[in-house]
Amino acid sequence: MSSSPPLPHLRRLEAEAIHILREVAACYERPCLLYSIGKDSTVLLHLARKAFFPGRVPFPLLHVDTTWEFAEMGRFRDRLAERHGLELIVHVNQEALAAGIHPVESGSVLYNDEMKTRALKQALDRLGSDAAIGGARRDEEKSRAKERVFSVRSPGYRWDPKQQRPELWRLYNTALGPEETMRVFPLSNWTETDVWLYILQERIDVVPLYLAAPRLSWIDAASGAILAMDDERMMPYLSAPERATLKERWIRFRTLGCYPQTGAVESRATTVAGVLAEMFTTRTSERQGRLLDQDQSASMERKKREGYF
């Protein structure tokens, strides 16, 4: 494992996150770490490995697979799990898959409800998890900012922001009532810049999609977003004007997910240092590239209330 980062604020954030991860291991019987394969959950996994070094991470990684994520993400996930001897659980909502739930044909609301929210609840039920650790940060968007570090979920994994417990200083209430579960967010106080600075300092491998490269892409007619053509499944759904925009562009991604719903940015940043240099001049949120956040008013808060991470 690499040494602690020299930047004082990163040292503090690292120590806080490690303390939280150890609290989870001490207080819950069947915790799991939600691994989306993105930069935040990859940093979270790195912190978990540090927290329990030289032992193994004492809880499984849970990845909810929609079957529409970038193929490169799955390859990265499998290599990482094998390299570090991690227990990896991959869950797909097989009922929705068999019913033909599709990101275009079914509409984004139904697709995300079934393949993400319901799939996550199925997986947590299957594992019997009393705590799920996630890589969400408060600076991502407004509903994330309402979360506590230890966030209680009522039966059915429902979230009520008005029922959040106070967290004074760094005193966490880890208690659970009957049928309650906990969501835990060790990166709550990190920013996107903190995450990238930590990746640079710790030399953490991330999915290459975060770095700029020439990639076949088109302009989505509805949102104006640049979307990458990861495989041939989307070709029949492109309109004639969209097909006219299909070409190779130098792009990278600030956030990752299902490729028909994840917008890219034009970029020449081929290194983590280059990504940071671009970030210091941008004025847009990373989640502007997540089209699922735009599928209806207050979309993320509704999803969270229904059990989304």
Side-chain angles (χ1 to χ4, degrees):
M1 306 293 287
S2 57
S3 58
S4 295
L7 293 176
H9 85 285
L10 288 185
R11 270 201 208 98
R12 290 192 295 270
L13 289 171
E14 179 188 70
E16 178 187 57
I18 286 174
H19 168 68
I20 292 164
L21 288 162
R22 289 172 176 166
E23 281 286 289
V24 173
C27 295
Y28 300 105
E29 294 182 6
R30 294 176 300 279
C32 66
L33 191 152
L34 305 178
Y35 187 58
S36 70
I37 321 175
K39 65 185 185 305
D40 299 324
S41 62
T42 299
V43 163
L44 187 58
L45 174 58
H46 180 84
L47 289 162
R49 292 180 57 234
K50 273 197 164 189
F52 303 104
F53 184 81
R56 295 177 61 184
V57 175
F59 30 73
L61 272 61
L62 171 60
H63 175 63
V64 173
D65 188 352
T66 65
T67 74
W68 280 86
E69 290 163 327
F70 292 96
E72 199 165 3
M73 294 172 66
R75 293 192 293 268
F76 179 87
R77 174 201 66 199
D78 294 342
R79 287 196 305 269
L80 195 67
E82 182 177 3
R83 184 189 317 152
H84 300 303
L86 303 167
E87 181 185 356
L88 173 65
I89 297 168
V90 179
H91 180 80
V92 177
N93 183 344
Q94 295 293 344
E95 293 86 353
L97 195 64
I101 298 297
H102 187 282
V104 178
E105 294 177 358
S106 306
S108 63
V109 175
L110 178 60
Y111 169 76
N112 287 300
D113 284 350
E114 290 294 327
M115 299 305 292
K116 296 183 179 180
T117 303
R118 187 182 297 275
L120 174 58
K121 294 193 287 186
Q122 287 175 347
L124 293 174
D125 282 343
R126 169 185 161 194
L127 291 174
S129 292
D130 49 358
I133 308 164
R137 309 184 323 269
R138 289 184 180 132
D139 74 324
E140 288 182 75
E141 51 85 49
K142 58 187 179 181
S143 71
R144 300 286 198 209
K146 298 178 183 180
E147 284 280 17
R148 299 292 192 266
V149 174
F150 282 76
S151 179
V152 175
R153 295 301 197 262
S154 60
Y157 306 106
R158 291 189 170 273
W159 176 68
D160 183 353
K162 295 180 180 179
Q163 296 300 317
Q164 294 286 289
R165 298 166 176 173
E167 288 181 341
L168 307 176
W169 303 284
R170 287 188 175 87
L171 300 177
Y172 304 118
N173 187 337
T174 63
L176 291 174
E179 298 185 59
E180 289 181 337
T181 58
M182 191 71 75
R183 299 285 171 88
V184 185
F185 302 104
L187 302 185
S188 290
N189 294 325
W190 296 54
T191 65
E192 184 186 8
T193 303
D194 293 331
V195 168
W196 279 111
L197 284 170
Y198 192 72
I199 288 168
L200 179 66
Q201 187 61 56
E202 296 283 295
R203 301 178 183 179
I204 300 171
D205 288 336
V206 293
V207 183
L209 292 159
Y210 282 115
L211 304 179
R215 296 181 172 102
L216 185 64
S217 58
W218 80 94
I219 307 297
D220 180 61
S223 65
I226 301 172
L227 299 178
M229 183 62 68
D230 199 54
D231 57 45
E232 294 298 315
R233 288 179 293 174
M234 276 299 296
M235 282 299 294
Y237 300 98
L238 268 60
S239 65
E242 288 172 333
R243 286 174 181 266
T245 68
L246 190 63
K247 67 176 184 178
E248 202 170 72
R249 296 175 174 84
W250 273 85
I251 56 175
R252 66 178 179 87
F253 297 87
R254 292 178 67 189
T255 182
L256 293 178
C258 302
Y259 83 83
Q261 299 182 338
T262 305
V265 295
E266 294 193 87
S267 171
R268 291 280 176 164
T270 59
T271 65
V272 173
V275 169
L276 276 162
E278 286 188 353
M279 282 186 55
F280 291 136
T281 61
T282 189
R283 295 293 180 267
T284 59
S285 164
E286 66 192 289
R287 291 198 70 91
Q288 286 191 338
R290 296 294 293 272
L291 303 191
L292 71 93
D293 290 358
Q294 305 167 26
D295 55 19
Q296 62 188 58
S297 178
S299 174
M300 179 55 71
E301 181 151 340
R302 182 191 68 82
K303 291 180 178 72
K304 283 169 59 61
R305 285 178 181 271
E306 294 179 0
Y308 189 66
F309 86 96

